[in-house]
Amino acid sequence: MEHRPDPLHESPTYLLFEMVRLVRRTATRMYPGQLRLPHLLVLSCVAQLGPLSQREVAERLRMDPGDLVGIVDALEEAGHLERRRDPDDRRRYALEATEDGRLFLGRSLDDRTRLNETLFEPLAPGEIRLFKELMLRVLAHHDERFTVPDGPGQPPAPAAGRPAGRGSHASR
Amino acid sequence: MEHRPDPLHESPTYLLFEMVRLVRRTATRMYPGQLRLPHLLVLSCVAQLGPLSQREVAERLRMDPGDLVGIVDALEEAGHLERRRDPDDRRRYALEATEDGRLFLGRSLDDRTRLNETLFEPLAPGEIRLFKELMLRVLAHHDERFTVPDGPGQPPAPAAGRPAGRGSHASR
DNA sequence: TATTGTTATACTCTATAACTATA
DNA sequence: TATAGTTATAGAGTATAACAATA
């Protein structure tokens, strides 16, 4: 039992890989059959930001518009959202969450919260906050969706490189 | 651009999901065609821990033995490892890394290091160490592969000091 | 061990249709 | 109208990863 000197254990991306495996294993054990994060993300996005076209959803979530079709199909069929047409621009859909969808979303987010509590049990609340903040800093550096507008948080002043521009590479 | 109150942005597992997407996008941009982490893990495991049977590798890496078949096939075909028989128990294989495989592994780990440096550029070295340590604490709590040999209770304190000598750029 | 098959996710490429703006 | 450009949606195809059933 001595594989400590494994250089991969020093790699944050390897540890991220293992973290995601752990999340998946735990999720399927706690909520078998449930939990499809992309579906949840789409529903959450639509529920929060009123009527949206599929293209807007795809952009906000950085999802492939093609993949969105099946997800919206499933959510519509389950009665969680409605696909109407935008009366002003009949090319686009106007997606809106149903009351049922909002209830489902609430339950799903509660499940998610319990999952997080189980997984991060060994960390203190402050450590969890710190963990999230570190991830948000990394994400913001590469993906403008995560840049904080400014305001209540804390001015991200990591003295070191602050390229000022948003994501140096907006992938695609 | 103001969807800050999104409850999912508060969910560490959602942020992990986004981190992994970021890793994948960055990796395929920096090293297209390369980088299959499971292959790297298997090769690393075999290179470090001498001759191993496929079952031993599967257990150590918590991988499906069935999935291992194709991975070992590929690594063998590429000349990175050899599949011999264990002379003491001819039912099992004795997997061993070739010299070529060790060189390839070294290069791959170097690529991985550069990938990590690019991704975690916005964090200070101490923050990266802290980030890894938090993940290791969570992993150790759910998966005995990550328990540190000496101190099962409280792994290395998240002390701010600890320049940790060479640890700073061993970010593989 | 190996084989086979299934599921989930992600990404790419191509195609069609519906609309907008302009000539 | 006619034409060109944009947007929405769809579908095929590929790739990785995890997992289950069975030989």
Side-chain angles (χ1 to χ4, degrees):
Chain A
M1 268 304 201
E2 39 43 51
H3 50 306
R4 273 265 80 197
D6 190 334
L8 280 164
H9 278 59
E10 287 300 312
S11 164
T13 53
Y14 164 67
L15 296 174
L16 282 169
F17 174 80
E18 290 286 358
M19 285 292 283
V20 166
R21 292 180 73 193
L22 174 63
V23 171
R24 182 168 10 201
R25 270 184 270 136
T26 309
T28 58
R29 200 182 53 241
M30 285 179 71
Y31 305 103
Q34 277 227 16
L35 201 96
R36 285 145 312 186
L37 194 43
H39 295 239
L40 198 59
L41 291 173
V42 170
L43 183 53
S44 170
C45 184
V46 171
Q48 274 184 84
L49 301 167
L52 289 178
S53 72
Q54 287 189 196
R55 185 173 166 280
E56 285 170 315
V57 173
E59 269 177 15
R60 281 189 177 273
L61 301 178
R62 292 283 188 283
M63 285 180 65
D64 187 288
D67 293 336
L68 215 49
V69 176
I71 292 174
V72 174
D73 282 352
L75 290 172
E76 191 182 26
E77 190 174 355
H80 295 148
L81 59 72
E82 283 179 338
R83 231 177 198 151
R84 298 185 193 138
R85 284 286 170 185
D86 182 335
D88 296 332
D89 180 349
R90 293 189 45 75
R91 292 173 305 178
R92 11 175 89 200
Y93 278 133
L95 303 180
E96 246 179 315
T98 62
E99 196 47 39
D100 194 73
R102 291 179 190 279
L103 292 174
F104 172 79
L105 177 62
R107 288 195 301 275
S108 298
L109 292 176
D110 288 346
D111 288 351
R112 197 97 203 146
T113 298
R114 279 190 290 276
L115 173 64
N116 285 321
E117 284 168 356
T118 299
L119 280 167
F120 291 91
E121 190 197 324
L123 300 191
E127 290 175 318
I128 296 175
R129 260 198 311 280
L130 181 54
F131 184 63
K132 291 190 290 188
E133 195 240 315
L134 292 173
M135 286 194 285
L136 279 168
R137 289 246 308 280
V138 171
L139 289 169
H141 188 260
H142 300 279
D143 184 338
E144 70 270 18
R145 285 181 300 157
F146 294 94
T147 52
V148 279
D150 86 7
Q154 59 277 23
R162 193 68 235 258
R166 34 288 326 269
S168 13
H169 14 279
S171 111
R172 220 208 300 216
Chain B
M1 280 315 196
E2 35 40 50
H3 49 307
R4 275 266 77 197
D6 191 333
L8 280 165
H9 278 60
E10 288 300 313
S11 164
T13 54
Y14 164 66
L15 295 174
L16 283 169
F17 172 80
E18 291 286 359
M19 286 292 284
V20 166
R21 291 180 71 193
L22 174 62
V23 170
R24 181 170 13 203
R25 272 183 270 138
T26 309
T28 57
R29 199 183 54 242
M30 286 179 69
Y31 305 102
Q34 275 227 17
L35 198 99
R36 285 143 313 188
L37 195 43
H39 294 240
L40 197 59
L41 292 173
V42 170
L43 183 53
S44 169
C45 183
V46 171
Q48 275 185 80
L49 303 167
L52 289 177
S53 70
Q54 286 187 198
R55 185 172 165 279
E56 286 169 316
V57 173
E59 269 177 15
R60 281 190 177 273
L61 301 178
R62 292 283 188 283
M63 287 179 63
D64 187 292
D67 293 337
L68 215 48
V69 176
I71 292 174
V72 174
D73 282 352
L75 290 172
E76 189 181 27
E77 190 174 355
H80 295 148
L81 59 73
E82 284 180 338
R83 232 174 198 154
R84 298 186 193 137
R85 285 287 171 184
D86 184 334
D88 296 332
D89 180 351
R90 294 192 43 76
R91 289 172 306 179
R92 8 176 91 201
Y93 279 133
L95 303 180
E96 243 179 318
T98 62
E99 196 46 40
D100 194 73
R102 290 178 192 280
L103 292 173
F104 172 79
L105 177 61
R107 288 196 301 277
S108 298
L109 292 177
D110 288 345
D111 288 350
R112 197 100 203 143
T113 298
R114 281 190 290 277
L115 173 64
N116 284 321
E117 284 168 355
T118 299
L119 279 168
F120 290 91
E121 188 197 327
L123 300 191
E127 290 176 318
I128 295 175
R129 258 195 317 277
L130 181 53
F131 183 63
K132 292 190 290 188
E133 194 244 313
L134 292 173
M135 285 194 286
L136 278 168
R137 290 245 308 279
V138 171
L139 288 168
H141 189 259
H142 299 278
D143 184 338
E144 69 271 18
R145 284 181 300 157
F146 294 94
T147 53
V148 279
D150 58 81
Q154 280 304 315
R162 260 183 82 81
R166 10 107 44 23
S168 20
H169 61 287
S171 55
R172 276 167 174 173

